[in-house]
Amino acid sequence: MLVLSRKKNESIMIGSTIEIKVIAVEGDQVKIGIEAPRNLDVHRKEIFDAIQEENRLATLNQRDWGALKQIFQNKTD
């Protein structure tokens, strides 16, 4: 993990298209701004994790539907 110190209004660049800027520091909270291409999803970590879990569950459900479909196809054959 790369750890950098930044002050208010200072930025960090990721590649040539993503800029992370410190907007404000208030107590133990840091407000950041992120400029990134619109085609790139940017989420808070807890939201990203929830999306990944939903995708994992959907994949499992998709397999269940496939198995169920196969059972019904076998009964009609």
Side-chain angles (χ1 to χ4, degrees):
M1 173 187 296
L2 174 64
V3 179
L4 300 171
S5 296
R6 299 280 78 200
K7 295 178 182 174
K8 184 178 174 182
N9 295 321
E10 292 183 335
S11 298
I12 296 168
M13 293 299 297
I14 299 175
S16 61
T17 60
I18 301 169
E19 180 179 7
I20 300 173
K21 185 174 187 176
V22 177
I23 304 299
V25 180
E26 300 168 357
D28 63 349
Q29 262 192 346
V30 177
K31 292 184 181 179
I32 60 172
I34 301 169
E35 286 191 30
R38 290 213 178 266
N39 65 338
L40 183 66
D41 293 334
V42 178
H43 301 287
R44 297 187 327 246
K45 176 74 163 98
E46 61 272 18
I47 299 299
F48 176 81
D49 290 342
I51 292 168
Q52 294 300 308
E53 180 64 11
E54 286 294 321
N55 288 343
R56 187 186 71 77
L57 291 173
T59 300
L60 292 176
N61 289 339
Q62 197 70 26
R63 287 188 215 148
D64 293 344
W65 281 111
L68 187 60
K69 181 179 174 185
Q70 217 170 20
I71 290 168
F72 282 111
Q73 282 178 342
N74 290 341
K75 287 189 177 196
T76 59
D77 289 345

